[in-house]
Amino acid sequence: MKSGSFLRAGEGGTLLDVYLQPRASKNEWAGMHQGCLKIRLTAPPVEGEANKECVKFLAGAFGVSRSDVEIIRGHKSRRKTILIRNSTPEILRAVLLETGVL
């Protein structure tokens, strides 16, 4: 995966490739991991708990509603592709730069 391809325009919003680390000590950004944006979450990877926490975390981080965040690939994997509706890669990149993630 080339640099920057973790964040790209998609139909209806922006696609974001993430790598989740469940059962972390706190919810936080953790930089990059194999071309994906890494996120540490406190939720365990059982019964969709980490997925729910991921949606909640991203909605809060990007200032959108939870219904605007949808996991479209990787429901049972640590690597996920997530659609952030009604957003652009430029807006999300600006948020990530402002928070020091990038």
Side-chain angles (χ1 to χ4, degrees), residues 26-38:
K26 63 181 180 174
N27 294 340
E28 65 183 350
W29 301 109
M32 299 296 294
H33 178 79
Q34 298 177 349
C36 296
L37 189 59
K38 185 174 181 181

Side-chain angles (χ1 to χ4, degrees), residues 71-90:
I71 298 172
I72 60 171
R73 190 176 311 125
H75 287 83
K76 294 186 177 190
S77 171
R78 287 182 180 217
R79 290 180 87 95
K80 301 179 185 305
T81 300
I82 299 173
L83 174 66
I84 312 291
R85 289 187 186 84
N86 304 313
S87 66
T88 65
E90 294 78 18

Side-chain angles (χ1 to χ4, degrees), residues 18-70:
V18 300
Y19 180 87
L20 296 186
Q21 177 187 333
R23 291 195 172 129
S25 59
K26 63 181 180 174
N27 294 340
E28 65 183 350
W29 301 109
M32 299 296 294
H33 178 79
Q34 298 177 349
C36 296
L37 189 59
K38 185 174 181 181
I39 302 170
R40 292 186 181 120
L41 299 172
T42 58
V46 293
E47 298 180 13
E49 291 301 312
N51 287 343
K52 291 176 196 170
E53 191 66 28
C54 177
V55 167
K56 181 179 173 183
F57 178 82
L58 290 172
F62 293 126
V64 299
S65 69
R66 289 184 197 175
S67 62
D68 285 336
V69 180
E70 179 184 358

